[in-house]
Amino acid sequence: MSPQCELPQGNPPTEEIRTLLARAKRIAVVGHSDDPSRDSHRVGRYLAAHGYEVFAVNPAGRSTPGLTFYPDLASVPGPIDVVDIFRRVEFIPAIVDEAIRVGAGAVWMQDGLAHNASAAKARAAGLTVVQGRCMMRDHARLGV
């Protein structure tokens, strides 16, 4: 865990996480890497292989025939159900602000990531928030 990272002050109950994963169709993976050895790449590809429409958000990402990168959430075409964050904790406030602006339904901060003030802001704006958990692992564990 990063020294700036906080411990999450609560996550939704298991059934709410299961429902979020079952209803979500479009996931923007912020910090998605074009390097197959990176967790963000593996999680993004796992989600895509399990029926989600995945949008790789990384201004430095190199698009390939099977993977298009978007520079930011505002560039992702259409609605976003979940913003899955793989960026360092100091970037979370700006990502959450952008997720709120684009009307995302949820923000998911991956393992080792939590920012309670941003989580509270997202919840106040009506977004579901999950912190410090792996979306791929929860998807597999919950059998969604």
Side-chain angles (χ1 to χ4, degrees), residues 4-81:
Q4 298 125 331
C5 189
E6 305 165 336
L7 292 175
Q9 293 176 343
N11 271 320
T14 300
E15 276 311 307
E16 189 175 332
I17 291 174
R18 183 189 321 273
T19 299
L20 171 64
L21 291 170
R23 290 187 180 157
K25 302 294 179 226
R26 298 167 51 87
I27 300 172
V29 179
V30 178
H32 195 304
S33 176
D34 51 14
D35 178 351
S37 71
R38 301 295 302 252
D39 289 340
S40 61
H41 185 91
R42 284 192 302 273
V43 170
R45 297 300 85 205
Y46 170 91
L47 295 170
H50 285 82
Y52 296 99
E53 190 174 4
V54 174
F55 299 90
V57 178
N58 184 337
R62 294 182 318 265
S63 294
T64 62
L67 183 62
T68 300
F69 281 88
Y70 297 88
D72 51 37
L73 293 173
S75 300
V76 173
I80 299 171
D81 297 320

Side-chain angles (χ1 to χ4, degrees), residues 89-110:
V89 71
E90 62 264 27
F91 296 110
I92 290 174
I95 295 165
V96 168
D97 286 346
E98 191 177 12
I100 292 167
R101 273 195 308 278
V102 301
V107 172
W108 191 298
M109 300 175 208
Q110 282 292 136

